[in-house]
Amino acid sequence: MTNEDIQDLVERGSFPDSCKSPDLVETHISWVVLTDDFAFKIKKPLRLNFLDFSTLALRKLYCEEELRLNRRLADIYQAVVPIVKKNGKFHIGGPGRAVDYAVQMKRLPPDKQMHHLLEKGKVKEKDIVALGEMMARFHQQARIVKKPFDAQAAKDDFADLSSVVPILEKYVDKKYGQWAMDWINGAADTIEKYENRLAERAEEGFVRDGHGDLHSGNIFLLDQPIIFDCIEFNEHLRINDVLSELAFLAMDLERNRRSDLKTILITTYRKAFPCFLKAADEAIFQYFLLYRASVRLKISAIKLGEEKREGEGVNNKLMAEIQALIDLCKIYHQRLKEL
């Protein structure tokens, strides 16, 4: 579907719950149409270096993968439904030739998304304990992937941070290029130092088919936490050492200035799933904190570059996020040096 098709669907389309005024949320790779009862996620017809949604068959395939993978964590995922066009009008579901597909989910209250609750200071200790226990159960049940650790690939992944140096030097701080080089070199040194232990952890079964994008924006805090929107389009991004996935959410809590909640998360998770078996694992976890902060920084920098190209003004929230991530990278890099 095109942008024009999506607008037509929102304005004149037919939905299973007969909603007349749906909302539209757009991400870099998808559209999400929100009706009274449901959320319909539609993949954009894109082909990027990390995903391929360029054909109808591929979009259907990845809708089915999204349903399968996310059902490991959440019962809000209901079906893959066709989008059909009859008499000049788009319909979600029903008979007819599919022009595209959507993942149908139960709609949840947006004010219960964890990142909103963090901003308002409404995340409680019991929420994090429940979340840490859920993550541990999920990882313990997840498929073990016995793949050799590739040190050079890990270095290359981290070094891609240099791709946003021009953006951050231009719009944030001219010193960013030197900072990035320090972090990249520090990460490479850590990978070399602990290469054998990282390989050993893979052999011990700690590399698993996880979530891949486990941050507070992909969590609802209800009576029990609901984790959603795992990465379906790229196994490389989803299959990680469990310490890397734990580090992602731990970093996100620290980014939101809740180091207290970060400590509770790590303590709860470690109690439920002993995965720090050797002293080197503490340093490896610190490396993953730096890696996850650097990836989030890169994504935020790319967004900043897109906004500047489109002539948008200063986005204070995005600039604050970038500064917080830079500060975290500095802190994590220093801790790595001390270890």
Side-chain angles (χ1 to χ4, degrees), residues 10-205:
V10 170
E11 293 169 7
R12 303 191 307 118
S14 173
F15 301 92
D17 58 354
S18 303
C19 175
K20 301 300 181 184
S21 301
D23 296 320
L24 176 64
V25 177
E26 184 173 357
T27 72
H28 189 54
I29 62 173
S30 64
W31 298 285
V32 182
V33 180
L34 300 170
T35 67
D36 296 333
D37 300 323
F38 305 114
F40 297 96
K41 186 176 177 184
I42 304 163
K43 301 184 189 305
K44 293 181 177 179
L46 299 171
R47 185 173 185 177
L48 305 172
N49 62 353
F50 58 91
L51 65 80
D52 188 354
F53 295 159
S54 60
T55 69
L56 180 63
L58 284 169
R59 292 195 294 279
K60 182 183 181 185
L61 170 67
Y62 284 114
C63 281
E64 291 167 348
E65 276 293 275
E66 182 171 359
L67 185 73
R68 179 184 70 84
L69 291 163
N70 279 287
R71 278 180 166 175
R72 299 174 302 165
L73 279 157
D75 62 3
I76 64 171
Y77 285 80
Q78 298 179 328
V80 175
V81 292
I83 303 172
V84 301
K85 191 171 187 180
K86 294 185 290 188
N87 301 320
K89 183 178 177 180
F90 287 107
H91 303 257
I92 289 190
R97 184 179 64 86
V99 297
D100 225 312
Y101 293 90
V103 176
Q104 178 178 315
M105 296 168 274
K106 178 183 177 183
R107 186 175 182 182
L108 297 177
D111 61 337
K112 294 298 183 180
Q113 274 185 274
M114 186 176 171
H115 67 298
H116 293 315
L117 293 171
L118 280 169
E119 290 172 357
K120 297 174 182 177
K122 293 185 176 181
V123 178
K124 302 180 178 64
E125 178 177 336
K126 67 179 182 64
D127 297 321
I128 301 300
V129 170
L131 185 56
E133 291 173 345
M134 177 178 285
M135 287 173 57
R137 286 194 302 272
F138 168 59
H139 285 155
Q140 285 171 315
Q141 295 166 5
R143 177 172 64 95
I144 295 171
V145 180
K146 289 287 187 76
K147 64 175 184 178
F149 176 69
D150 188 334
Q152 189 57 52
K155 292 178 187 178
D156 292 344
D157 271 355
F158 197 103
D160 193 52
L161 182 62
S162 63
S163 64
V164 295
V165 165
I167 296 170
L168 293 179
E169 283 190 333
K170 183 174 182 179
Y171 299 115
V172 180
D173 196 309
K174 292 181 178 178
K175 298 177 183 177
Y176 173 76
Q178 184 56 57
W179 297 336
M181 189 54 60
D182 290 342
W183 304 336
I184 290 168
N185 290 336
D189 290 344
T190 302
I191 291 166
E192 289 178 6
K193 183 175 181 179
Y194 297 106
E195 180 177 356
N196 290 340
R197 178 57 189 154
L198 284 159
E200 190 177 52
R201 286 185 60 81
E203 282 299 311
E204 291 170 349

